[in-house]
Short mmCIF file of all heavy atoms in Angstrom, two decimals:
data_model
loop_
_atom_site.label_atom_id
_atom_site.label_comp_id
_atom_site.label_asym_id
_atom_site.label_seq_id
_atom_site.Cartn_x
_atom_site.Cartn_y
_atom_site.Cartn_z
N PRO W 1 -8.96 10.31 23.16
CA PRO W 1 -7.57 10.71 23.40
C PRO W 1 -6.67 10.35 22.23
O PRO W 1 -6.79 9.27 21.64
CB PRO W 1 -7.19 9.91 24.66
CG PRO W 1 -8.49 9.63 25.34
CD PRO W 1 -9.50 9.46 24.23
N ALA W 2 -5.81 11.28 21.88
CA ALA W 2 -4.91 11.06 20.73
C ALA W 2 -3.91 9.97 21.05
O ALA W 2 -3.48 9.81 22.20
CB ALA W 2 -4.18 12.36 20.39
N PRO W 3 -3.53 9.16 20.06
CA PRO W 3 -2.54 8.11 20.30
C PRO W 3 -1.18 8.70 20.63
O PRO W 3 -0.85 9.83 20.23
CB PRO W 3 -2.50 7.34 18.98
CG PRO W 3 -3.02 8.30 17.96
CD PRO W 3 -4.01 9.17 18.67
N GLU W 4 -0.40 7.96 21.36
CA GLU W 4 0.94 8.40 21.74
C GLU W 4 1.83 8.46 20.51
O GLU W 4 1.87 7.55 19.69
CB GLU W 4 1.52 7.41 22.75
CG GLU W 4 2.93 7.73 23.20
CD GLU W 4 3.50 6.68 24.12
OE1 GLU W 4 2.89 5.59 24.21
OE2 GLU W 4 4.54 6.93 24.74
N LYS W 5 2.56 9.58 20.37
CA LYS W 5 3.51 9.71 19.26
C LYS W 5 4.81 9.02 19.66
O LYS W 5 5.34 9.26 20.75
CB LYS W 5 3.77 11.18 18.93
CG LYS W 5 2.59 11.87 18.25
CD LYS W 5 2.96 13.28 17.82
CE LYS W 5 4.01 13.30 16.71
NZ LYS W 5 3.51 12.74 15.44
N ILE W 6 5.31 8.18 18.77
CA ILE W 6 6.55 7.47 19.05
C ILE W 6 7.49 7.61 17.87
O ILE W 6 7.08 7.87 16.74
CB ILE W 6 6.29 5.97 19.34
CG1 ILE W 6 5.67 5.28 18.12
CG2 ILE W 6 5.41 5.80 20.57
CD1 ILE W 6 5.52 3.78 18.29
N CYS W 7 8.78 7.45 18.15
CA CYS W 7 9.81 7.55 17.12
C CYS W 7 9.63 6.41 16.11
O CYS W 7 9.43 5.25 16.50
CB CYS W 7 11.19 7.48 17.76
SG CYS W 7 12.56 7.48 16.58
N ARG W 8 9.72 6.73 14.85
CA ARG W 8 9.53 5.73 13.81
C ARG W 8 10.71 4.77 13.66
O ARG W 8 10.64 3.81 12.91
CB ARG W 8 9.25 6.42 12.47
CG ARG W 8 7.95 7.21 12.46
CD ARG W 8 7.70 7.89 11.13
NE ARG W 8 6.48 8.67 11.16
CZ ARG W 8 5.27 8.21 10.91
NH1 ARG W 8 5.13 6.94 10.59
NH2 ARG W 8 4.21 8.99 10.97
N THR W 9 11.79 5.07 14.39
CA THR W 9 12.95 4.18 14.32
C THR W 9 13.09 3.33 15.56
O THR W 9 13.15 2.10 15.49
CB THR W 9 14.24 5.00 14.11
OG1 THR W 9 14.14 5.72 12.87
CG2 THR W 9 15.46 4.10 14.06
N CYS W 10 13.11 3.98 16.74
CA CYS W 10 13.35 3.23 17.98
C CYS W 10 12.11 3.05 18.83
O CYS W 10 12.11 2.22 19.74
CB CYS W 10 14.45 3.90 18.80
SG CYS W 10 13.99 5.54 19.44
N GLY W 11 11.04 3.83 18.58
CA GLY W 11 9.79 3.66 19.32
C GLY W 11 9.69 4.44 20.61
O GLY W 11 8.72 4.29 21.34
N VAL W 12 10.66 5.31 20.93
CA VAL W 12 10.59 6.09 22.16
C VAL W 12 9.50 7.15 22.03
O VAL W 12 9.20 7.62 20.93
CB VAL W 12 11.96 6.73 22.46
CG1 VAL W 12 12.29 7.83 21.45
CG2 VAL W 12 12.02 7.29 23.87
N ALA W 13 8.88 7.53 23.15
CA ALA W 13 7.82 8.52 23.13
C ALA W 13 8.36 9.88 22.69
O ALA W 13 9.49 10.26 23.03
CB ALA W 13 7.18 8.63 24.51
N LEU W 14 7.54 10.61 21.91
CA LEU W 14 7.96 11.89 21.36
C LEU W 14 7.00 12.99 21.76
O LEU W 14 5.85 12.74 22.15
CB LEU W 14 8.00 11.84 19.83
CG LEU W 14 8.97 10.87 19.17
CD1 LEU W 14 8.77 10.88 17.67
CD2 LEU W 14 10.41 11.24 19.51
N LYS W 15 7.45 14.22 21.63
CA LYS W 15 6.58 15.37 21.77
C LYS W 15 5.84 15.60 20.46
O LYS W 15 6.23 15.10 19.41
CB LYS W 15 7.39 16.62 22.13
CG LYS W 15 8.05 16.55 23.50
CD LYS W 15 8.81 17.83 23.80
CE LYS W 15 9.45 17.76 25.18
NZ LYS W 15 10.20 19.00 25.49
N GLU W 16 4.77 16.38 20.52
CA GLU W 16 3.96 16.65 19.33
C GLU W 16 4.80 17.34 18.26
O GLU W 16 5.63 18.20 18.56
CB GLU W 16 2.77 17.54 19.71
CG GLU W 16 1.69 17.63 18.66
CD GLU W 16 1.00 16.30 18.42
OE1 GLU W 16 0.90 15.50 19.37
OE2 GLU W 16 0.56 16.07 17.28
N GLY W 17 4.59 16.96 17.02
CA GLY W 17 5.29 17.59 15.91
C GLY W 17 6.57 16.90 15.49
O GLY W 17 7.19 17.30 14.51
N LYS W 18 7.00 15.88 16.21
CA LYS W 18 8.23 15.15 15.89
C LYS W 18 7.87 13.79 15.31
O LYS W 18 6.83 13.21 15.61
CB LYS W 18 9.08 14.96 17.14
CG LYS W 18 9.43 16.24 17.88
CD LYS W 18 10.52 17.01 17.17
CE LYS W 18 10.96 18.19 18.01
NZ LYS W 18 12.03 18.97 17.35
N ILE W 19 8.75 13.28 14.46
CA ILE W 19 8.58 11.91 13.96
C ILE W 19 9.79 11.04 14.32
O ILE W 19 9.71 9.82 14.19
CB ILE W 19 8.36 11.89 12.44
CG1 ILE W 19 9.55 12.48 11.69
CG2 ILE W 19 7.08 12.63 12.07
CD1 ILE W 19 9.45 12.33 10.19
N HIS W 20 10.89 11.67 14.77
CA HIS W 20 12.07 10.92 15.21
C HIS W 20 12.61 11.57 16.47
O HIS W 20 12.52 12.78 16.66
CB HIS W 20 13.16 10.91 14.13
CG HIS W 20 12.81 10.15 12.90
ND1 HIS W 20 12.73 8.77 12.87
CD2 HIS W 20 12.50 10.55 11.64
CE1 HIS W 20 12.39 8.37 11.65
NE2 HIS W 20 12.24 9.43 10.89
N CYS W 21 13.19 10.75 17.34
CA CYS W 21 13.82 11.28 18.53
C CYS W 21 15.15 11.91 18.16
O CYS W 21 15.64 11.76 17.02
CB CYS W 21 14.02 10.17 19.56
SG CYS W 21 15.16 8.87 19.03
N ALA W 22 15.76 12.61 19.11
CA ALA W 22 17.00 13.33 18.82
C ALA W 22 18.12 12.39 18.38
O ALA W 22 18.91 12.71 17.49
CB ALA W 22 17.42 14.12 20.06
N SER W 23 18.20 11.21 19.01
CA SER W 23 19.29 10.28 18.67
C SER W 23 19.11 9.65 17.30
O SER W 23 20.09 9.26 16.66
CB SER W 23 19.38 9.19 19.74
OG SER W 23 18.17 8.47 19.82
N CYS W 24 17.86 9.51 16.84
CA CYS W 24 17.61 8.88 15.54
C CYS W 24 17.52 9.89 14.39
O CYS W 24 17.64 9.52 13.23
CB CYS W 24 16.33 8.06 15.58
SG CYS W 24 16.37 6.68 16.75
N ALA W 25 17.25 11.16 14.73
CA ALA W 25 17.02 12.16 13.68
C ALA W 25 18.24 12.34 12.78
O ALA W 25 18.12 12.44 11.55
CB ALA W 25 16.63 13.49 14.31
N GLY W 26 19.45 12.36 13.38
CA GLY W 26 20.66 12.55 12.58
C GLY W 26 20.88 11.42 11.59
O GLY W 26 21.18 11.65 10.42
N ALA W 27 20.73 10.19 12.09
CA ALA W 27 20.93 9.04 11.21
C ALA W 27 19.91 9.01 10.09
O ALA W 27 20.23 8.70 8.93
CB ALA W 27 20.86 7.75 12.02
N GLU W 28 18.64 9.35 10.41
CA GLU W 28 17.61 9.36 9.38
C GLU W 28 17.87 10.45 8.36
O GLU W 28 17.65 10.26 7.17
CB GLU W 28 16.24 9.56 10.03
CG GLU W 28 15.74 8.36 10.80
CD GLU W 28 15.57 7.14 9.93
OE1 GLU W 28 15.07 7.29 8.79
OE2 GLU W 28 15.94 6.04 10.36
N ALA W 29 18.35 11.61 8.84
CA ALA W 29 18.66 12.71 7.90
C ALA W 29 19.78 12.30 6.95
O ALA W 29 19.74 12.61 5.75
CB ALA W 29 19.05 13.96 8.68
N SER W 30 20.79 11.60 7.48
CA SER W 30 21.89 11.14 6.62
C SER W 30 21.39 10.16 5.56
O SER W 30 21.78 10.24 4.39
CB SER W 30 22.97 10.48 7.48
OG SER W 30 23.52 11.40 8.39
N LYS W 31 20.50 9.25 5.98
CA LYS W 31 19.95 8.29 5.02
C LYS W 31 19.15 9.01 3.93
O LYS W 31 19.24 8.66 2.75
CB LYS W 31 19.06 7.29 5.74
CG LYS W 31 19.81 6.34 6.65
CD LYS W 31 18.84 5.38 7.34
CE LYS W 31 19.57 4.46 8.30
NZ LYS W 31 18.63 3.56 9.01
N ARG W 32 18.38 10.01 4.35
CA ARG W 32 17.59 10.75 3.35
C ARG W 32 18.49 11.50 2.39
O ARG W 32 18.21 11.55 1.18
CB ARG W 32 16.64 11.72 4.05
CG ARG W 32 15.47 11.05 4.76
CD ARG W 32 14.39 12.06 5.08
NE ARG W 32 14.87 13.11 5.96
CZ ARG W 32 14.84 13.05 7.29
NH1 ARG W 32 14.38 11.97 7.88
NH2 ARG W 32 15.29 14.06 8.01
N MET W 33 19.57 12.10 2.90
CA MET W 33 20.48 12.84 2.02
C MET W 33 21.15 11.90 1.03
O MET W 33 21.34 12.26 -0.14
CB MET W 33 21.53 13.57 2.87
CG MET W 33 20.99 14.75 3.64
SD MET W 33 20.23 16.00 2.57
CE MET W 33 21.66 16.50 1.60
N ILE W 34 21.51 10.69 1.48
CA ILE W 34 22.13 9.72 0.58
C ILE W 34 21.14 9.33 -0.52
O ILE W 34 21.50 9.24 -1.70
CB ILE W 34 22.59 8.48 1.37
CG1 ILE W 34 23.75 8.85 2.28
CG2 ILE W 34 22.99 7.35 0.42
CD1 ILE W 34 24.18 7.74 3.22
N GLU W 35 19.88 9.11 -0.14
CA GLU W 35 18.88 8.74 -1.13
C GLU W 35 18.61 9.89 -2.09
O GLU W 35 18.46 9.69 -3.30
CB GLU W 35 17.59 8.33 -0.41
CG GLU W 35 16.44 7.94 -1.34
CD GLU W 35 16.76 6.75 -2.22
OE1 GLU W 35 17.72 6.00 -1.89
OE2 GLU W 35 16.05 6.56 -3.22
N ILE W 36 18.55 11.11 -1.55
CA ILE W 36 18.33 12.28 -2.41
C ILE W 36 19.49 12.45 -3.39
O ILE W 36 19.29 12.77 -4.57
CB ILE W 36 18.14 13.54 -1.55
CG1 ILE W 36 16.80 13.47 -0.79
CG2 ILE W 36 18.18 14.81 -2.41
CD1 ILE W 36 16.62 14.57 0.23
N ALA W 37 20.72 12.25 -2.88
CA ALA W 37 21.88 12.37 -3.76
C ALA W 37 21.84 11.31 -4.87
O ALA W 37 22.17 11.59 -6.03
CB ALA W 37 23.16 12.23 -2.95
N ARG W 38 21.43 10.10 -4.51
CA ARG W 38 21.32 9.05 -5.52
C ARG W 38 20.30 9.41 -6.58
O ARG W 38 20.55 9.27 -7.79
CB ARG W 38 20.92 7.73 -4.84
CG ARG W 38 20.90 6.54 -5.79
CD ARG W 38 20.30 5.32 -5.12
NE ARG W 38 18.89 5.50 -4.86
CZ ARG W 38 17.93 5.34 -5.79
NH1 ARG W 38 18.26 5.01 -7.03
NH2 ARG W 38 16.67 5.52 -5.48
N LEU W 39 19.15 9.92 -6.15
CA LEU W 39 18.13 10.33 -7.11
C LEU W 39 18.63 11.49 -7.97
O LEU W 39 18.30 11.57 -9.16
CB LEU W 39 16.84 10.73 -6.36
CG LEU W 39 16.14 9.60 -5.60
CD1 LEU W 39 14.96 10.16 -4.82
CD2 LEU W 39 15.66 8.52 -6.56
N GLY W 40 19.41 12.37 -7.33
CA GLY W 40 19.96 13.49 -8.10
C GLY W 40 20.91 13.02 -9.18
O GLY W 40 20.89 13.54 -10.30
N ARG W 41 21.75 12.04 -8.84
CA ARG W 41 22.69 11.51 -9.85
C ARG W 41 21.94 10.85 -11.00
O ARG W 41 22.32 10.97 -12.16
CB ARG W 41 23.65 10.53 -9.19
CG ARG W 41 24.68 11.18 -8.29
CD ARG W 41 25.77 10.21 -7.90
NE ARG W 41 25.25 9.12 -7.08
CZ ARG W 41 25.16 9.16 -5.76
NH1 ARG W 41 25.54 10.24 -5.10
NH2 ARG W 41 24.71 8.12 -5.10
N VAL W 42 20.87 10.14 -10.67
CA VAL W 42 20.07 9.51 -11.71
C VAL W 42 19.43 10.57 -12.60
O VAL W 42 19.42 10.46 -13.84
CB VAL W 42 18.99 8.61 -11.09
CG1 VAL W 42 18.02 8.11 -12.15
CG2 VAL W 42 19.64 7.42 -10.38
N ALA W 43 18.90 11.63 -11.96
CA ALA W 43 18.20 12.67 -12.73
C ALA W 43 19.15 13.41 -13.66
O ALA W 43 18.75 13.87 -14.74
CB ALA W 43 17.52 13.63 -11.78
N THR W 44 20.43 13.56 -13.28
CA THR W 44 21.37 14.32 -14.10
C THR W 44 21.90 13.53 -15.29
O THR W 44 22.65 14.08 -16.10
CB THR W 44 22.56 14.80 -13.25
OG1 THR W 44 23.19 13.67 -12.64
CG2 THR W 44 22.08 15.77 -12.18
N HIS W 45 21.54 12.26 -15.40
CA HIS W 45 22.02 11.46 -16.53
C HIS W 45 20.89 11.02 -17.46
O HIS W 45 21.07 10.10 -18.26
CB HIS W 45 22.79 10.24 -16.02
CG HIS W 45 24.13 10.58 -15.44
ND1 HIS W 45 24.28 11.03 -14.15
CD2 HIS W 45 25.38 10.56 -15.98
CE1 HIS W 45 25.57 11.26 -13.91
NE2 HIS W 45 26.27 10.98 -15.01
N THR W 46 19.76 11.65 -17.35
CA THR W 46 18.67 11.36 -18.28
C THR W 46 18.94 12.04 -19.61
O THR W 46 19.74 13.00 -19.69
CB THR W 46 17.34 11.87 -17.70
OG1 THR W 46 17.42 13.30 -17.53
CG2 THR W 46 17.02 11.20 -16.36
N PRO W 47 18.32 11.59 -20.71
CA PRO W 47 18.52 12.25 -22.01
C PRO W 47 18.16 13.74 -21.97
O PRO W 47 18.82 14.56 -22.62
CB PRO W 47 17.58 11.47 -22.93
CG PRO W 47 17.45 10.12 -22.30
CD PRO W 47 17.50 10.36 -20.82
#
């Protein structure tokens, strides 16, 4: 039997194909966008 899928932030049970629950997905997306923006700023100032 396959292991239970749980949210990587809060640990609540998930349906197949998800890695975050609905309440955590928005916050995780915001964190990813901030990190992507930071990497973008770094990339635009290279020689």
Side-chain angles (χ1 to χ4, degrees):
E4 178 184 12
K5 288 186 67 67
I6 62 174
C7 176
R8 296 179 182 274
T9 299
C10 66
V12 69
L14 298 175
K15 294 181 179 180
E16 194 65 31
K18 304 284 187 180
I19 61 173
H20 293 289
C21 64
S23 60
C24 297
E28 289 299 319
S30 298
K31 291 179 182 178
R32 288 196 299 271
M33 288 301 297
I34 292 173
E35 179 61 18
I36 291 172
R38 185 188 68 80
L39 295 175
R41 288 192 295 271
V42 171
T44 57
H45 288 82
T46 61

